[in-house]
Amino acid sequence: MRKLMLCCFAALGILCFTACESEIQEIASPQINTLESRNPNTDCEEFLEGIRVEDGMLHFRSAEQMKLVYECLEKQQAAHLKEAYAPYEELSDEAFDEMEEAGEIQIDDYLVLRTFERKLGFQSLRLILEKAELEWLQSEELDIENDPDDHFVIDEVFRTLLSVDASVMIAGELYQFNEEEENTIEERMQQSDCRSMKGKSYNKYNSSYNRRIKCSVAHVTYPWGRYALARTKNYFKKRRRIFGGYKWKIYRTYTVTRVYGHISDAGGVCKGAVNFNPSGSYRWGNRRSLTHRISVSTKTRSGWVRGYHYGGSGINNYTALTW
């Protein structure tokens, strides 16, 4: 069944790429690097020296140090999830959920990130949003407009490095990570809508099975470079064991996430477009949440960055980053 589903997914991907590429003239690609082949065994301790916590923010010596910590945490996070979920790959969603409810399976998806926060005594944006989301999920009907997890920063690893107001200090300079302010009229005329620091989330709900997926897509600029990202997160509405009624939970199921589309050519003002995922790479596995990141070199235009999302026991969705 899974092989058949992946074949269908590949066919849909080819059709989608063909349609997208017919709209946009492509030219020679700038250098693009993925994060998927990195060694997950690096010890992050060597990069932590000199990091301070002051005024509720992390203070890094340089953007390079922050990049090394970010990349190392990402590698260790991926390695942890692979190891933690591997023994249960053959379990159905229902069997996994029953064992989890009974306490026979206890997996902390954020163990690596939580350990980092505790080591530094730091209350991160990730931690605050996690707590708020768990409280929000106690409702039988979710108020999507007030979803705490619907934050501009969709990258869980990067959230771990930011304060509760999404800020960080690097070499004495304050960085605040919110969606960029509207450009001036002159800048808009020069750049059209060629931008970064944009993110968007969509929800798709299957009422017949009480399943929901959150589909997020973004193009962001960090102090050391740019990324295109897509994230798929799975939710299940289930009966409470003790108090009756229903609540929602983030649950493990088969998930596929892919970010794809176009960025500006080397000119950087989105006059020409470049396919930043020409190989059609994506991420998949039995996970609660799955993020696909690709490092890119230039900004993008509204509608150029897209995501494909599969999860929630069969829910799938295509998304576009628009503004």
Side-chain angles (χ1 to χ4, degrees):
M1 180 66 183
R2 181 174 295 180
K3 290 183 178 178
L4 176 60
M5 187 200 71
L6 287 174
C7 290
C8 294
F9 168 66
L12 285 171
I14 292 171
L15 289 174
C16 180
F17 279 125
T18 302
C20 292
E21 291 172 2
S22 65
E23 300 173 3
I24 302 175
Q25 180 182 3
E26 296 191 12
I27 59 180
S29 172
Q31 184 177 359
I32 297 172
N33 299 309
T34 68
L35 300 178
E36 297 174 4
S37 61
R38 293 174 178 166
N39 184 344
N41 299 316
T42 304
D43 183 0
C44 297
E45 289 290 332
E46 62 183 299
F47 305 129
L48 302 186
E49 184 178 354
I51 298 177
R52 310 191 318 275
V53 181
E54 292 181 7
D55 301 322
M57 288 183 289
L58 291 183
H59 291 233
F60 291 89
R61 295 196 308 266
S62 65
E64 178 65 17
Q65 182 188 32
M66 188 176 182
K67 175 187 178 183
L68 291 172
V69 172
Y70 170 85
E71 291 182 344
C72 193
L73 287 175
E74 187 208 31
K75 296 172 199 174
Q76 290 200 341
Q77 172 79 349
H80 160 65
L81 292 175
K82 182 177 180 180
E83 181 180 357
Y85 281 97
Y88 313 107
E89 281 297 321
E90 301 305 317
L91 285 182
S92 67
D93 295 347
E94 293 74 16
F96 185 96
D97 183 65
E98 288 178 7
M99 292 179 68
E100 188 175 45
E101 289 290 315
E104 298 174 42
I105 296 177
Q106 298 182 20
I107 298 176
D108 180 358
D109 280 17
Y110 304 123
L111 177 63
V112 169
L113 307 181
R114 204 182 309 283
T115 299
F116 171 82
E117 293 160 351
R118 288 172 176 169
K119 185 184 296 289
L120 294 177
F122 176 58
Q123 185 166 254
S124 72
L125 175 64
R126 186 211 65 78
L127 180 61
I128 292 299
L129 294 180
E130 179 192 17
K131 291 179 178 178
E133 184 185 33
L134 290 175
E135 182 177 344
W136 177 74
L137 290 172
Q138 299 305 306
S139 301
E140 290 197 20
E141 300 302 328
L142 297 180
D143 179 7
I144 298 301
E145 295 299 318
N146 291 300
D147 177 2
D149 185 60
D150 190 10
H151 191 280
F152 163 66
V153 180
I154 69 173
D155 183 343
E156 298 285 1
V157 179
F158 196 63
R159 285 180 178 183
T160 304
L161 304 181
L162 299 181
S163 69
V164 296
D165 65 349
S167 60
V168 65
M169 290 287 290
I170 303 174
E173 184 174 354
L174 175 66
Y175 289 80
Q176 184 81 42
F177 289 90
N178 296 307
E179 288 192 277
E180 67 177 0
E181 298 293 333
E182 285 295 318
N183 292 334
T184 64
I185 294 177
E186 292 78 15
E187 288 174 329
R188 286 202 299 269
M189 290 175 62
Q190 291 175 354
Q191 299 185 5
S192 184
D193 66 344
C194 190
R195 299 184 184 180
S196 181
M197 301 305 284
K198 293 293 183 181
K200 195 165 188 176
S201 291
Y202 308 79
N203 280 268
K204 192 165 183 181
Y205 180 44
N206 185 328
S207 58
S208 299
Y209 295 97
N210 284 327
R211 303 294 199 275
R212 180 190 301 275
I213 63 172
K214 184 186 300 174
C215 312
S216 303
V217 62
H219 185 288
V220 296
T221 299
Y222 294 163
W224 60 85
R226 294 189 174 99
Y227 298 87
L229 306 94
R231 186 187 68 171
T232 306
K233 199 168 186 177
N234 303 291
Y235 300 86
F236 168 37
K237 186 178 181 181
K238 63 175 298 175
R239 184 175 292 278
R240 299 174 190 268
R241 291 170 60 88
I242 300 176
F243 299 107
Y246 289 84
K247 70 171 185 176
W248 288 85
K249 68 175 291 186
I250 307 166
Y251 83 110
R252 168 267 204 191
T253 189
Y254 183 71
T255 306
V256 178
T257 305
R258 179 178 62 178
V259 64
Y260 64 98
H262 297 80
I263 55 173
S264 173
D265 61 4
V269 292
C270 298
K271 298 297 184 183
V274 172
N275 183 348
F276 64 81
N277 186 5
S279 67
S281 69
Y282 58 93
R283 294 194 65 203
W284 60 274
N286 284 311
R287 296 287 189 272
R288 295 183 176 95
S289 176
L290 201 58
T291 300
H292 183 208
R293 304 178 186 88
I294 293 180
S295 177
V296 298
S297 56
T298 55
K299 296 182 180 182
T300 192
R301 188 187 291 272
S302 177
W304 281 10
V305 175
R306 297 172 180 267
Y308 174 77
H309 314 265
Y310 180 97
S313 300
I315 304 173
N316 68 90
N317 198 32
Y318 286 94
T319 58
L321 176 59
T322 59
W323 55 85

